[in-house]
Amino acid sequence: MAFVTHQGIRRLSSSAFRNAAIKHVAIIGGGLMGAGIAQVAATTGHSVVLVDTNEEILKKSTMGIEGSLKRVAKKKFADKQEAGAEFIATVMADVSTSTDAMSAAESTDLVLEAIVENLKIKQGLFGALDKVAPAHTIFASNTSSLPITDIASSTGRLDRFGGLHFFNPVPMMKLVEVIGTSATSQETFDSLLAFSKALGKTPVSCKDTPGFIVNRLLVPYMMEAIRLLERGHGSKEDIDIAMKLGAGYPMGPFELLDYVGLDTVKFIIDGWAEKDPDNPLMQPSEVLKKLVSEGKFGKKTGEGFYKYK
Ligand SMILES: NC(=O)c1ccc[n+]([C@@H]2O[C@H](COP(=O)([O-])OP(=O)(O)OC[C@H]3O[C@@H](n4cnc5c(N)ncnc54)[C@H](O)[C@@H]3O)[C@@H](O)[C@H]2O)c1
């Protein structure tokens, strides 16, 4: 050690610090995805602060997490009620809430953003958090369709910025897409991979390209199903049956569209069409536009391609 310079020691210690496992996570956005990620992170021994714009939303988020944990406990500790209650209490003790994103980012290893899918709003949030978060803190977005590079551009930590794309429902879905931009450091990328594994998920490595892997394949597939319907080449019922029984998919494309949300799919395809207008796989659809304009977003509104009671 006598030969190591002061500069060398600094480099070693800062690198060791950055490589340290992610233990504390600030999740910004306590909606469907943020609450799910918070549940999984706390269940796997991470300390979580869940941030949203007001207490009412946060109350709903924590009640949702607790309800979901109760279902897990019922299965896991079938006839051991006390152990189940202890499991829920231990996990919930690791979830705190806040309406102040700035203070939540002041002492955390990872800021994971799951707010509204709007580039300007995400950039504004990260730009502000960048000023208060410690140097070692990694920033990640759960965006489904926006380029991570564009979101990261509002910060001065391009090397410590990546994507962590979870799937709904987060506690059930095993996959996490880990996205590195051309500026993401290997250290950061490795930390995000390790964090995903620590959550009990299976990560895959992705480039910062539209839709990453899953949505790049899934969205054009669902859009092609709508085009088949528009051309009158099959009814939605027959197309769904065909893909379930012929391709072994658990859901047909129209069932899946309704599950994902037609507003979400329209938002993604419109964004892609604007950026790549000549790509036939990324063309918008009149049928989709009409359903969304009528407020028929799928399961969540009670009607999409199908009706739900
Ligand atoms: N829903 C999905 O299936 C899914 C899957 C993967 C990724 N995503 C992505 O995850 C993100 C969140 O999606 P969601 O479905 O959870 O949305 P959601 O609408 O359920 O939740 C978003 C939450 O963010 C909060 N919020 C908005 N602006 C905020 C701010 N400035 N500070 C703190 N909180 C703020 C809202 O109040 C809301 O509670 C989006 O980027 C979406 O594209 C969604």
Side-chain angles (χ1 to χ4, degrees):
M1 274 321 260
F3 300 110
V4 179
T5 61
H6 282 296
Q7 203 184 7
I9 291 169
R10 250 201 322 272
R11 230 186 355 252
L12 276 175
S13 57
S14 89
S15 148
F17 191 43
R18 269 189 262 139
N19 268 331
I22 292 167
K23 290 287 175 205
H24 185 284
V25 195
I27 299 173
I28 320 293
L32 191 63
M33 298 304 289
I37 301 166
Q39 179 186 328
V40 172
T43 305
T44 49
H46 299 85
S47 176
V48 179
V49 56
L50 187 60
V51 179
D52 211 298
T53 49
N54 66 62
E55 294 292 351
E56 209 174 305
I57 298 176
L58 286 167
K59 202 169 163 202
K60 212 175 133 201
S61 312
T62 46
M63 276 169 62
I65 295 172
E66 208 165 347
S68 174
L69 286 172
K70 276 184 187 155
R71 289 191 291 278
V72 175
K74 220 172 176 182
K75 273 195 201 155
K76 217 170 153 183
F77 305 96
D79 30 61
K80 295 179 204 144
Q81 261 195 4
E82 250 178 54
E86 198 184 319
F87 160 76
I88 296 168
T90 308
V91 175
M92 290 310 290
D94 273 331
V95 182
S96 62
T97 59
S98 172
T99 53
D100 183 357
M102 296 301 135
S103 63
E106 270 171 5
S107 54
T108 190
D109 302 319
L110 173 69
V111 170
L112 180 44
E113 168 272 316
I115 66 167
V116 59
E117 188 76 338
N118 177 300
L119 180 61
K120 285 268 168 308
I121 298 177
K122 286 188 197 281
Q123 283 175 332
L125 174 73
F126 276 121
L129 296 179
D130 191 36
K131 295 191 177 75
V132 296
H136 84 280
T137 304
I138 294 175
F139 284 4
S141 174
N142 182 48
T143 179
S144 297
S145 64
L146 301 169
I148 301 295
T149 306
D150 291 358
I151 304 172
S153 68
S154 63
T155 73
R157 60 180 80 210
L158 304 186
D159 57 329
R160 282 150 291 148
F161 206 118
L164 278 178
H165 188 222
F166 290 82
F167 292 80
N168 177 36
V170 181
M172 305 287 295
M173 300 296 278
K174 295 292 283 178
L175 184 71
V176 179
E177 291 179 321
V178 180
I179 302 114
T181 71
S182 56
T184 307
S185 71
Q186 192 60 47
E187 232 169 1
T188 298
F189 195 78
D190 290 345
S191 291
L192 293 176
L193 281 176
F195 174 65
S196 307
K197 285 183 191 159
L199 296 182
K201 302 293 183 194
T202 302
V204 291
S205 304
C206 300
K207 299 282 180 208
D208 190 19
T209 53
F212 314 126
I213 295 176
V214 173
N215 284 340
R216 179 61 181 78
L217 292 173
L218 209 51
V219 174
Y221 156 73
M222 293 190 291
M223 293 305 298
E224 194 54 22
I226 298 175
R227 285 189 266 275
L228 271 182
L229 180 74
E230 282 174 337
R231 291 195 298 266
H233 290 178
S235 68
K236 59 180 186 289
E237 291 83 1
D238 279 351
I239 296 169
D240 276 350
I241 290 171
M243 292 313 290
K244 285 190 282 188
L245 302 189
Y249 287 10
M251 282 178 165
F254 294 99
E255 290 166 336
L256 189 58
L257 277 155
D258 279 357
Y259 182 75
V260 172
L262 304 188
D263 53 333
T264 305
V265 176
K266 182 178 181 299
F267 181 83
I268 294 173
I269 203 71
D270 287 353
W272 289 359
E274 205 180 303
K275 285 206 161 174
D276 194 359
D278 298 327
N279 189 335
L281 293 175
M282 296 181 178
Q283 294 307 306
S285 142
E286 280 307 313
V287 167
L288 188 61
K289 193 173 154 190
K290 183 168 180 293
L291 286 169
V292 172
S293 72
E294 291 166 356
K296 295 173 182 166
F297 295 172
K299 266 194 126 163
K300 60 185 165 190
T301 58
E303 187 172 349
F305 283 98
Y306 295 104
K307 281 192 177 136
Y308 303 85
K309 284 273 175 274

